[in-house]
Amino acid sequence: MTWTALAHPPDTLVVLGLALAIEAAAGYPDRLYRALGHPVTWIGSLIGGLDRTLNAGSARRRRAAGILGLLILLGTVGAMSVAGTALAAATGYLPALLLLGFACASLPAQRSLHDHVARVAMGLRDEGLAGGRREVAMIVGRNPESLDEAGICRAAIESLSENFSDGIVAPAFWIGIGGLPGGALYKAINTADSMIGHRTPRHEAYGWASARLDDLVNLPASRLSAGLIVAASLLHPGASAAGAFRAVRCDAGRHRSPNAGWPEAAMAGALGLRLAGPRMYGAEIVDDAWMGDGRAEAGPQDVERALALYRISCALLFGVVVLGASTLKIVFL
């Protein structure tokens, strides 16, 4: 069996279903992280090395160097993930599916995202503003000292919404399309954007290609994420599917990001909140549009409501994958 034998949609969806179930149940074990690191840390080391080596000279040269660095990154990650799939395929069909399921389980982050956001609500309840600020600083880039309780809770819900899209649905989408290589290449692009895709003097030119490509590859997942949140609102007694749909229709396109507004607007409308809006990153104020037309005064209970909606959304994603794999298996038989 060659790796291409495992690259058809029925099998990539089976791998994806296994990966989502494994990651939801176990996350990424600390012992494994201490022993081997994590694919994101490996990818990050390569991105950092390329940045130190190539990122110099004029803005024009930096932009060209950034394109070259991105091509080297994608070529390296793509070759290694194809080789890994080929090695798995050599073990036989069923063992290969299991091996690839475990490998792909390192790419989405359902469990860790849930735990990080839940700690924000716990920090506020147990230690007040100091605890909330400490915990929210672990998941957002804005200045936590500028946030009151409502700001901390909105920041946590915004991070949950956006990371549901680019940390869970997007890697799942690309694993479903292309198996381990698809998911690994997406993760490389997304990690590059998070490391060098910022409009700073050092990275505005060098990280331009990574930021633009990340916007492109996240387009399908951001729309799918919004749809999953709207659907999950139908199953959550404390959420409004009509409000979620209305907020997406009215506000998603007003966000400064071409993708983040979709899940944020859906979550805001579902919970009757206003998210995004003007906020501070370091000493810089970002004047962004509000998502949703509800109340801005969010509390720990709203973070917990958002987490409940997130769990339903993850379950729906898993259900869609299982249904898709079953349907395509019948079609391909």
Side-chain angles (χ1 to χ4, degrees):
M1 178 185 294
T2 64
W3 77 271
T4 54
L6 292 166
H8 299 298
D11 296 324
T12 56
L13 287 175
V14 171
V15 167
L16 173 57
L18 288 169
L20 290 173
I22 292 166
E23 197 279 329
Y28 194 84
D30 290 340
R31 183 178 297 179
L32 184 61
Y33 182 84
R34 289 192 296 269
L36 298 175
H38 186 278
V40 170
T41 63
W42 310 334
I43 290 168
S45 295
L46 177 56
I47 294 167
L50 291 168
D51 183 15
R52 291 188 295 271
T53 302
L54 300 175
N55 189 6
S58 66
R60 183 176 180 180
R61 186 185 183 283
R62 286 173 185 264
R63 180 171 289 197
I67 295 171
L68 175 61
L70 181 61
L71 291 174
I72 293 171
L73 172 68
L74 296 181
T76 303
V77 171
M80 292 183 69
S81 56
V82 167
T85 305
L87 288 172
T91 66
Y93 181 71
L94 290 178
L97 291 179
L98 288 172
L99 287 170
L100 292 172
F102 276 100
C104 288
S106 66
L107 301 177
Q110 302 166 101
R111 192 181 183 93
S112 64
L113 175 59
H114 182 282
D115 291 349
H116 276 96
V117 174
R119 281 198 286 269
V120 176
M122 291 173 58
L124 281 169
R125 291 191 187 280
D126 296 343
E127 303 175 54
L129 282 178
R133 286 169 175 165
R134 182 189 66 246
E135 296 300 339
V136 84
M138 304 296 291
I139 57 173
V140 300
R142 68 196 70 175
N143 178 9
E145 298 305 316
S146 68
L147 299 175
D148 58 9
E149 180 175 283
I152 290 168
C153 293
R154 289 198 308 271
I157 296 169
E158 289 160 17
S159 181
L160 178 69
S161 306
E162 184 175 356
N163 282 290
F164 174 58
S165 177
D166 62 21
I168 294 148
V169 178
F173 178 85
W174 290 109
I175 292 167
I177 294 293
L180 177 61
L185 287 169
Y186 167 77
K187 207 67 179 178
I189 295 166
N190 188 244
T191 305
D193 176 63
S194 68
M195 290 181 65
I196 62 174
H198 307 291
R199 291 185 174 178
T200 61
R202 177 170 179 80
H203 289 130
E204 184 166 13
Y206 181 77
W208 172 83
S210 296
R212 299 291 76 75
L213 185 56
D214 183 71
D215 286 343
L216 180 63
V217 298
N218 273 297
L219 280 171
S222 62
R223 279 68 177 168
L224 179 57
S225 299
L228 287 167
I229 293 170
V230 172
S233 302
L234 293 168
L235 304 174
H236 190 301
S240 169
F245 180 79
R246 182 173 61 251
V248 169
R249 182 171 55 84
C250 295
D251 298 329
R254 300 170 57 231
H255 200 285
R256 65 191 178 99
S257 164
N259 295 309
W262 290 76
E264 286 187 21
M267 187 69 78
L271 300 178
L273 297 173
R274 279 193 297 165
L275 299 177
R279 52 202 186 275
M280 183 175 289
Y281 290 86
E284 178 186 357
I285 296 178
V286 174
D287 188 16
D288 204 354
W290 287 101
M291 301 289 107
D293 58 2
R295 55 189 167 82
E297 294 301 313
Q301 72 279 4
D302 293 303
V303 177
E304 290 161 354
R305 290 170 63 218
L307 284 166
L309 197 57
Y310 165 79
R311 291 191 294 270
I312 297 171
S313 300
C314 287
L316 287 175
L317 174 63
F318 180 74
V320 169
V321 170
V322 171
L323 179 62
S326 302
T327 302
L328 287 175
K329 276 291 188 184
I330 293 171
V331 170
F332 275 70
L333 284 176

